[in-house]
Amino acid sequence: MTFEFSDRLKALPPYLFKELDRIRDEVKARGVDVIDLGVGDPDRPTPPHVIEALKVAAGDKANHQYPVYSGMNSFRNVVANYYKRRYGVDLVPDTEVCSLIGSKEGLAQFPLAFLNPGDVSLVPEPSYPVYRSGTLFAGGTSVFMPLLAKNGFLPDLKAIGPEALKKAKIVWVNYPNNPTGAPASLEFYGELVELAKKHNLIVASDAAYSEVTDLGKPHPSVLEVPGGKDVAVEFHSLSKTYNMTGWRIGWAAGNATLIKGLGLVKSNVDSGVFQAVQLAGMAALEGPQDCVREMGKLYRERREVLVKGLAQAGIEVLKTDYTFYVWASVPKGLKSAEFASKLLNEVGIVATPGNGFGPSGEGYVRFALVQEVPRLREAANRLASLKF
Ligand SMILES: *Cc1c(COP(=O)(O)O)cnc(C)c1O
C-alpha cells in the first residue's frame, strides 16, 4: 500500500532545523549542560488561583458536557469587560467575541472562512508560521511583507505591490512581535486600517504578547483605532500572559462578520473549549493582575542579564519592553544557522536561527527568556567568553 501526503502538506515549507537538532542531541550526549533558550514556552507555572478555579470547575457536572463552540456567555462577557477595562473598547459579547482552543487554532482556521483558491494573504516575515500554513491549507497564496530593522520591524505598507493588493483578502500582523519583540504604535494600526478600508482587506492581528510587559498598560490594540472594528479581528491568548500554554484557551474579537465566519468553520470542526478551562480563564482575566506585572518585571530582569553577556561578546540586540524574546544580530561573516551551531558547540546554548521564521530573519537569532535568572547568568558568562 502506498499513501501519499496531500499536495497541501507537501507544499509546507521544509523544517530547517534538522541539522541543529542533530548537533543539540550530540552536544547533550557529550554530557554538556545545555541551556535551552529555543522554544517560546513560559517556564513559570500558571498562577495558583487559576489552577484552583479549574479544580472547582472540573468537579461540577454542569461542565462535563459539550460546551457551546463559540464560548460560554460568561466567558465572552469577561473578554468584552477586558477590552473595556484595558482599552476602552466596546464589544458585543454575543457577536463580536469567540472563544478559541488557543489562539493558534483560530489563526489557522480563520483563512478557511474568508479565502478562496487564488486569494492572497499578506504575511509578515520573519513570523510565527501559522499565518502561512493556514493560508496554504485554505488554498490561498502568501505574499510576504519583510520586517526590517530600518523600519522598526514593521511592514512597509507603501511597498506592497498593486497586484498583491488587488488579490489580497487578509493582511496579518503580530505586535508585540514574535520573533523580534518589536512593538507597533496606534498610528501604525491607524494606517493599516486605512489601507484595509481602501482595498477591502481584513486585518488579522495576532496580539498574543500584548500583556507581556511591565509597563502597566497593554500594547495598543488595532480595535482601539476609530473604525478598527469595521475591518479587524484580533486574536488573543491567555497562554503567554498567564503561563497557560498547555491549557489551550484564547479568543478572537472584533468585526461581527469576521467572528461569524470563524464561528461557522469552528462549528464544523470542533466543539469549543472545556467549560472548566473557560472558567479558569475567567478567573485569570478577572482575578488579581499582579502576577502579570511580576512576569513582565521578571522578563525584564532576565533580558538585562542575557543582553549583558551578549554585549560582552559584541552582539547587538533589539531593545524592547515586550515579549520574552531577545532578537540578536549575528556577528559579521556568519549565517544564522552557523551562529546557532557555534553557540551550541562552543557554549552549550540553544537559540533559534532567525531565518527559520522567514528569509528576512537571516542575520539574527532568537533567544527565549524561559530560564531562571541564575541559568541566564550562566548563559551570559558563557556568551561573554565567545570570540569572533
Ligand atoms: C504563542 C503564540 C501564539 C499562540 O498561542 P496559543 O497558545 O495557541 O494561544 C500565537 N501567536 C504567536 C506569535 C505566538 O508566539
Side-chain angles (χ1 to χ4, degrees):
M1 210 99 75
T2 53
F3 298 113
E4 262 193 59
F5 288 149
S6 65
D7 293 342
R8 71 177 68 82
L9 280 195
K10 287 187 200 158
L12 285 171
Y15 181 64
L16 294 179
F17 304 141
K18 249 191 222 130
E19 175 62 8
L20 214 62
D21 288 353
R22 192 189 62 74
I23 302 173
R24 184 193 55 209
D25 294 343
E26 191 189 291
V27 170
K28 274 189 181 159
R30 258 194 269 143
V32 174
D33 170 28
V34 171
I35 303 176
D36 196 338
L37 307 178
V39 183
D41 192 351
D43 55 306
R44 284 279 179 106
T46 306
H49 65 277
V50 178
I51 298 172
E52 275 316 306
L54 175 80
K55 284 184 184 166
V56 172
D60 182 349
K61 86 182 209 341
N63 298 325
H64 296 173
Q65 292 181 289
Y66 284 122
V68 179
Y69 69 87
S70 54
M72 298 163 79
N73 286 334
S74 49
F75 178 78
R76 287 183 285 161
N77 274 324
V78 163
V79 170
N81 290 344
Y82 165 81
Y83 277 93
K84 187 69 185 171
R85 181 171 76 240
R86 296 299 269 164
Y87 293 107
V89 166
D90 290 301
L91 291 174
V92 182
D94 232 15
T95 54
E96 295 178 334
V97 179
C98 179
S99 65
L100 297 172
I101 311 167
S103 66
K104 182 179 188 179
E105 187 250 330
L107 296 165
Q109 310 262 34
F110 185 72
L112 288 172
F114 293 98
L115 290 187
N116 288 314
D119 288 344
V120 158
S121 268
L122 299 169
V123 175
E125 65 83 13
S127 68
Y128 192 58
V130 180
Y131 322 129
R132 270 168 275 182
S133 47
T135 296
L136 174 70
F137 288 171
T141 305
S142 291
V143 170
F144 293 105
M145 305 181 290
L147 305 183
L148 306 176
K150 65 172 184 182
N151 300 320
F153 298 99
L154 295 169
D156 181 355
L157 301 178
K158 293 189 187 72
I160 304 167
E163 188 66 13
L165 274 175
K166 217 166 82 188
K167 289 190 184 162
K169 291 271 171 70
I170 306 174
V171 55
W172 297 89
V173 287
N174 165 222
Y175 293 99
N177 185 254
N178 176 9
T180 66
S185 63
L186 199 53
E187 290 70 37
F188 169 78
Y189 283 140
E191 288 162 26
L192 190 64
V193 166
E194 201 177 306
L195 180 85
K197 288 194 171 175
K198 194 165 157 201
H199 297 280
N200 201 27
L201 292 174
I202 295 163
V203 174
S205 178
D206 177 356
Y209 295 92
S210 62
E211 296 279 1
V212 183
T213 178
D214 65 350
L215 295 182
K217 59 175 185 168
H219 181 276
S221 162
V222 68
L223 299 178
E224 283 180 274
V225 175
K229 232 167 47 177
D230 297 343
V231 293
V233 58
E234 183 168 278
F235 294 87
H236 212 308
S237 169
L238 299 176
S239 288
K240 310 295 164 52
T241 313
Y242 300 102
N243 304 333
M244 291 176 74
T245 50
W247 296 57
R248 311 317 301 137
I249 181 160
W251 70 78
N255 179 273
T257 307
L258 302 181
I259 296 296
K260 188 174 179 184
L262 177 60
L264 277 169
V265 174
K266 282 178 62 60
S267 66
N268 282 280
V269 175
D270 69 70
S271 298
V273 179
F274 180 26
Q275 287 197 15
V277 169
Q278 294 187 54
L279 288 157
M282 289 182 235
L285 286 166
E286 301 266 271
Q289 299 299 303
D290 15 325
C291 53
V292 178
R293 193 74 174 267
E294 273 161 27
M295 282 313 297
K297 276 195 192 139
L298 181 66
Y299 289 135
R300 183 180 298 281
E301 188 188 351
R302 291 177 177 186
R303 181 183 304 277
E304 281 166 4
V305 168
L306 187 75
V307 167
K308 211 165 140 195
L310 286 165
Q312 280 173 300
I315 296 162
E316 285 176 26
V317 306
L318 180 74
K319 279 213 181 85
T320 179
D321 297 317
Y322 299 96
T323 75
F324 45 71
Y325 299 116
V326 172
W327 190 238
S329 297
V330 165
K332 279 210 174 24
L334 290 179
K335 295 274 198 195
S336 295
E338 290 168 341
F339 182 54
S341 58
K342 189 178 162 80
L343 285 174
L344 249 171
N345 270 319
E346 297 183 16
V347 289
I349 294 173
V350 179
T352 309
N355 62 316
F357 302 99
S360 300
E362 182 53 71
Y364 298 91
V365 295
R366 188 195 75 177
F367 296 90
L369 300 164
V370 293
Q371 301 280 346
E372 298 293 358
V373 166
R375 283 298 270 168
L376 288 168
R377 212 166 267 137
E378 165 67 18
N381 289 339
R382 295 187 197 176
L383 285 164
S385 73
L386 274 177
K387 296 280 171 295
F388 302 103

